[in-house]
Amino acid sequence: MKRVFTGIAELYTPYERLEQAALAVQDRRFVWVGAESSLPREYRSWPRTDLGGRGVVPGIVDAHTHLVYGGDRLGEYLQRARGDSYEAILAAGGGIYATVRATHAASEEELYELTRARAHLFLAQGVTALEIKSGYGLLPEAELKMLRVIKKLKETLPQRVFPTLLAHVVPQGWARGEYVAMFCQELIPEVARSGLAGAVDVFCDQGAFTLEETRKILEAALSHGLKIKLHAEQIAHTGATRLAAELGALSADHLEQSTPADWQALARVGTVGTVLPGAAVILRKPFPKARAMWDAGVKVAIATDHNPGSSPLYSPWLGMQLTISLGGLSAEEALAAHTAHAALALGRTDLGRIAVGAQADFAVLDSRKALEGLYRWGHLPLWKVFVGGTDCVAT
């Protein structure tokens, strides 16, 4: 495949802004990026697509989602709106446990169809790569069922899918030590052997896993060649962020209760700090200090944390807008956080950027201004989405 894209009024790479730009794509990757007037002779005879004087940004990367689940938690959402806390609902057997029951009751095909529909909504928002976690199965076979669904999605969706095995909470009726041992000695080895996930995540927090339990699970993952990441410092400060840095995790996610010492640890080793605006706002938690983290040298990423309970969010653009308004990032920084930095949270340097050698994933705004999507709250002027240089969403 060879194609040149012209008629780009404004382009964010995201680190550089270009006007009157053009792109050359071969075999699903960018081979040239620059001013249209400087297009090298060798590309001038290639087939062309004129983008009509529109703005272009890299494909959005969503590096933290819980997209596979059964049922919904509208009732819980209404409870919280009346003042009940997330922690109290979880302790009473609701929250995550309610979704576990609904996910157990759904067949693989039902879960696949539900998730495929959600993924297409994300594609229509310009999301060209997304991580999808398990974690609503809890029991070994139910977790494997979720991962099989994610594998099928990876094989059939237009987007790039990154499966992650999540240690979410201890199932009701299990002793903690017994469950952690099973997860480390049975589930992780089976997932690594079968290739059903490339990473393991642990929810290290009040009501979930302790720091010691988290270390055991993550060390087991590393011993089987899997990458690691953590839910860290969301509800209480546990030390999970510094554990993430110590073990070389891809990312530490949430970070509402994180401290300057945590940020310094992340910055030293290059572990990404992922903020999840939807969860912070919906649960009425302190908004992560994205500006301070960025200034401390942390590679800050933004993700939707889409899930049925704490963040039923479908819009990465709203997540970026919230991080601009409440987290203190500039619009350009927020775009980088949900593209190039989010790709680093997946262990990829060839996604989330428009540069020679990167995958040719990009979104075209129905505007001459590439950042128009961050200006219009509640309306996304998206025209087309390209994955590997192929048009996947057209108006």
Side-chain angles (χ1 to χ4, degrees):
M1 174 197 166
K2 297 179 179 180
R3 183 161 294 276
V4 171
F5 294 87
T6 59
I8 301 171
E10 185 178 47
L11 167 70
Y12 278 85
T13 66
Y15 299 123
E16 184 180 5
R17 176 183 176 272
L18 302 174
E19 293 183 340
Q20 305 306 318
L23 310 169
V25 173
Q26 182 174 12
D27 297 330
R28 302 178 64 81
R29 291 180 181 268
F30 297 113
V31 293
W32 184 85
V33 178
E36 186 174 336
S37 60
S38 301
L39 183 69
R41 183 178 303 274
E42 62 189 287
Y43 304 123
R44 293 178 189 173
S45 63
W46 287 13
R48 292 195 179 200
T49 296
D50 186 346
L51 299 180
R54 292 179 170 87
V56 169
V57 297
I60 305 298
V61 178
D62 198 342
H64 186 128
T65 84
H66 304 257
L67 215 60
V68 179
Y69 57 85
D72 64 56
R73 285 172 25 210
L74 173 59
E76 173 186 321
Y77 180 85
L78 299 178
Q79 279 182 267
R80 290 201 311 272
R82 291 190 290 265
D84 291 355
S85 72
Y86 176 86
E87 297 89 333
I89 292 169
L90 179 64
I96 293 167
Y97 294 114
T99 299
V100 168
R101 291 189 290 272
T103 304
H104 281 202
S107 69
E108 284 190 35
E109 185 60 29
E110 288 170 331
L111 290 174
Y112 170 77
E113 292 297 336
L114 287 168
T115 310
R116 185 173 67 89
R118 294 173 191 133
H120 279 290
L121 293 174
F122 275 80
L123 183 63
Q125 294 278 324
V127 175
T128 56
L130 67 166
E131 184 236 33
I132 305 178
K133 304 179 191 293
S134 68
Y136 289 128
L138 303 187
L139 303 180
E141 180 49 40
E143 285 293 304
L144 294 172
K145 177 176 81 169
M146 291 188 69
L147 290 171
R148 288 192 296 269
V149 170
I150 299 170
K151 179 183 178 183
K152 185 175 179 182
L153 292 162
K154 184 176 182 179
E155 294 168 348
T156 58
L157 288 177
Q159 295 114 308
R160 307 175 196 280
V161 173
F162 295 81
T164 294
L165 170 66
L166 171 62
H168 214 168
V169 291
V170 177
Q172 293 170 317
W174 280 66
R176 301 188 67 87
E178 179 186 2
Y179 185 71
V180 171
M182 180 281 298
F183 209 96
C184 294
Q185 298 168 21
E186 298 178 27
L187 193 50
I188 287 175
E190 173 58 21
V191 167
R193 183 198 64 77
S194 62
L196 285 174
V200 171
D201 188 354
V202 182
F203 184 15
C204 180
D205 216 322
Q206 176 183 311
F209 291 94
T210 66
L211 192 65
E212 180 183 358
E213 292 164 344
T214 299
R215 179 184 290 275
K216 288 179 181 177
I217 294 170
L218 295 179
E219 288 179 343
L222 289 170
S223 73
H224 285 86
L226 298 172
K227 297 173 183 177
I228 59 171
K229 53 200 332 190
L230 288 85
H231 285 57
E233 329 299 1
Q234 180 188 14
I235 299 168
H237 188 273
T238 63
T241 303
R242 274 172 275 185
L243 178 63
E246 176 193 337
L247 296 180
L250 290 173
S251 67
D253 303 8
H254 278 293
L255 305 177
E256 287 92 327
Q257 311 294 337
S258 62
T259 66
D262 296 328
W263 311 335
Q264 291 162 13
L266 295 178
R268 277 195 300 270
V269 300
T271 292
V272 173
T274 303
V275 299
L276 309 174
V281 170
I282 291 169
L283 295 183
R284 302 175 183 174
K285 300 295 183 183
F287 200 89
K289 296 179 175 62
R291 173 80 270 147
M293 290 184 219
W294 190 289
D295 291 344
V298 177
K299 290 287 188 184
V300 176
I302 302 171
T304 64
D305 188 24
H306 177 90
N307 72 78
S310 61
S311 185
L313 177 64
Y314 285 89
S315 173
W317 300 87
L318 178 55
M320 287 186 275
Q321 289 162 330
L322 290 170
T323 309
I324 293 166
S325 293
L326 302 178
L329 295 190
S330 69
E332 294 86 353
E333 289 167 341
L335 179 66
H338 224 319
T339 54
H341 291 186
L344 296 178
L346 299 176
R348 296 288 292 267
T349 58
D350 62 337
L351 299 176
R353 60 188 69 202
I354 297 174
V356 172
Q359 299 286 344
D361 304 347
F362 57 99
V364 183
L365 280 294
D366 198 10
S367 167
R368 296 184 61 82
K369 300 174 182 179
L371 299 185
E372 185 88 14
L374 293 175
Y375 169 65
R376 295 197 200 180
W377 286 58
H379 169 60
L380 175 60
L382 193 66
W383 187 60
K384 291 181 184 288
V385 179
F386 292 83
V387 179
T390 298
D391 180 4
C392 292
V393 175
T395 57

